[in-house]
Amino acid sequence: MSKKFKIIIAAALIVGIVGGILLFSTYKKIYSENIFIKDTQYLYIRKGADFKEVTDSLYKNFDVKDKTMFEFVANRKNYPSKIRPGRYKIPDKSSNNSLINLLRSGEQSPVKVNLDNLHTVQQLCAKVSKQIDIDSVKLLTLLQDDDFLKDYGFDKNTCAAMFLPDTYQFYWNTSEEKFIEKIYSYYKQFWTENRLKKASQINLSPIEVSILASIVQKEQAQFKDEQPIIAALYLNRLKIGMPLQSCPTLIFAIGDYSIKRVTSKILALDSPFNTYKHTGLPPSPICFPEKSAIDAVLNPDNNDYIFMCAKSDFSGRHNFSKSYEDQKRFARDYQKALDRIGIHNEY
């Protein structure tokens, strides 16, 4: 074997060894641990985000040891042109390869969206937009669009009845239209044939049940055992054409939920929500009633009460009565109790 040939063989071996080392080193950088949990487990990628925005968010919220190799792997896998928005749970000690595969797959972790303690559609839109990547203005625009809502059987006044207070699961990048569509599917699941039958038996539509339930909810949210009693009382008033005379409807009309005492000025308010002036139900729910309040309306207590008044011990419970004389007595006691603690709301 010639000396020249030996040199070629030796050079080839060196190149092979060096190449192997480089290949093994690259392999390790692709598949070894590179992304570590710092302050959060979740990476949020908004709709329309570009690759720089993704990496900026990743580097800010996670400890990425080798950023250059991460970007190399991302480009090799053509990720910058296939960015999928969403909320991704990032496993600690992820490799570059596993993270890019996760982000390319679009396999998000769902978000628990809580809808409770709300009075208006505006409040709902604001609360939802803080939990998932939804534009509150766009969502509100849809919920004020009668043409859009008519396919669901609602209008801008009644659409609040579609939203049942609960905790729902949504993907973070759910669109405004898909959000409403999914909420409506939950609404349809709630309104079973049995509930629809009970609504018919009390001569109310599901929307009307929700409107009345919202009043029941605002009258009594603390002690749910009173809700069927209050529901029956209001149904009794509806039957005889008596105004509902519900203070929470006036407070809703004013929009100041700090009011503790409804005065003569408030009672004179010119509003379709003034149930002291107008008979029948108000034009929309005054809050998003819980399922318990809806079921209380569908399963009312068997009573002939017409009047109710908060107890003067401020326990949160009510006195119920059939006669106006009893009601006046209970009301005087309650007004005196308010005077004693200095509650004087004036509008």
Side-chain angles (χ1 to χ4, degrees):
M1 183 181 294
S2 68
K3 184 178 180 181
K4 182 178 180 181
F5 185 71
K6 288 180 179 179
I7 293 172
I8 293 172
I9 293 295
L13 286 172
I14 293 170
V15 168
I17 291 170
V18 171
I21 291 171
L22 290 174
L23 184 62
F24 179 70
S25 176
T26 302
Y27 178 89
K28 280 191 67 177
K29 289 181 178 180
I30 293 173
Y31 293 99
S32 63
E33 300 169 355
N34 189 44
I35 295 92
F36 299 86
I37 301 298
K38 190 164 60 174
D39 299 320
T40 179
Q41 284 186 291
Y42 295 98
L43 176 66
Y44 294 86
I45 302 175
R46 68 171 187 86
K47 301 169 190 139
D50 59 17
F51 184 56
K52 184 179 185 305
E53 187 174 328
V54 174
T55 54
D56 285 349
S57 179
L58 180 68
Y59 300 158
K60 177 182 177 182
N61 295 293
F62 296 85
D63 183 10
V64 181
K65 297 299 184 184
D66 190 335
K67 299 180 178 66
T68 301
M69 182 52 67
F70 171 78
E71 293 175 24
F72 170 79
V73 175
N75 281 292
R76 290 288 293 177
K77 286 180 168 276
N78 200 27
Y79 174 65
S81 65
K82 296 182 179 181
I83 293 172
R84 304 180 71 170
R87 172 184 182 259
Y88 296 90
K89 185 175 183 179
I90 310 301
D92 192 24
K93 302 177 183 178
S94 293
S95 69
N96 294 314
N97 189 66
S98 64
L99 179 55
I100 294 301
N101 285 345
L102 172 64
L103 299 181
R104 277 169 49 99
S105 73
E107 293 180 8
Q108 302 180 54
S109 296
V111 180
K112 290 183 178 180
V113 176
N114 180 264
L115 302 180
D116 62 1
N117 298 320
L118 299 167
H119 295 96
T120 67
V121 171
Q122 289 83 354
Q123 289 177 347
L124 177 134
C125 294
K127 187 166 188 175
V128 170
S129 69
K130 291 176 182 176
Q131 298 178 76
I132 56 178
D133 188 22
I134 268 183
D135 185 326
S136 61
V137 175
K138 183 176 179 181
L139 181 59
L140 180 59
T141 299
L142 290 174
L143 293 175
Q144 292 180 332
D145 185 342
D146 287 342
D147 287 336
F148 174 80
L149 291 169
K150 68 181 179 182
D151 290 338
Y152 295 99
F154 296 93
D155 59 33
K156 62 186 176 184
N157 290 320
T158 61
C159 65
M162 192 194 319
F163 297 87
L164 302 171
D166 207 337
T167 299
Y168 301 91
Q169 283 199 341
F170 285 93
Y171 286 121
W172 188 71
N173 62 323
T174 300
S175 70
E176 293 76 10
E177 292 84 358
K178 287 292 184 183
F179 174 78
I180 295 171
E181 183 180 316
K182 189 168 183 181
I183 285 292
Y184 181 69
S185 72
Y186 287 125
Y187 171 84
K188 294 296 287 183
Q189 290 171 29
F190 174 79
W191 278 100
T192 60
E193 287 298 323
N194 186 45
R195 285 192 172 102
L196 291 171
K197 182 180 178 181
K198 288 182 177 181
S200 178
Q201 289 170 346
I202 57 175
N203 297 315
L204 296 178
S205 69
I207 290 175
E208 290 171 331
V209 169
S210 291
I211 292 173
L212 183 54
S214 72
I215 297 174
V216 173
Q217 174 81 30
K218 295 308 294 181
E219 292 283 11
Q220 183 54 278
Q222 183 179 0
F223 300 104
K224 297 191 188 305
D225 59 298
E226 279 194 2
Q227 289 183 341
I229 302 172
I230 296 170
L233 182 152
Y234 282 126
L235 287 169
N236 291 339
R237 289 185 176 185
L238 289 173
K239 287 176 186 176
I240 63 175
M242 177 181 175
L244 296 182
Q245 298 180 340
S246 170
C247 294
T249 64
L250 284 164
I251 293 171
F252 174 83
I254 294 171
D256 182 352
Y257 300 101
S258 67
I259 293 173
K260 302 297 182 184
R261 186 171 192 168
V262 173
T263 64
S264 58
K265 289 183 180 180
I266 297 175
L267 290 172
L269 182 70
D270 182 18
S271 167
F273 289 92
N274 187 339
T275 54
Y276 282 82
K277 284 188 173 184
H278 303 286
T279 57
L281 295 168
S284 74
I286 62 170
C287 70
F288 296 82
E290 295 177 3
K291 295 173 185 178
S292 65
I294 295 174
D295 282 335
V297 174
L298 294 175
N299 302 277
D301 182 54
N302 182 22
N303 67 58
D304 52 2
Y305 294 135
I306 296 296
F307 303 103
M308 63 182 286
C309 182
K311 288 190 173 183
S312 58
D313 62 1
F314 300 114
S315 63
R317 290 191 173 274
H318 296 81
N319 287 309
F320 300 96
S321 56
K322 305 171 188 177
S323 74
Y324 185 53
E325 290 304 314
D326 287 339
Q327 171 66 3
K328 286 194 294 184
R329 177 166 52 85
F330 292 137
R332 280 195 301 269
D333 290 344
Y334 185 65
Q335 297 298 330
K336 289 178 181 177
L338 289 176
D339 289 338
R340 282 196 301 271
I341 63 174
I343 293 180
H344 303 286
N345 289 92
E346 288 295 338
Y347 275 79

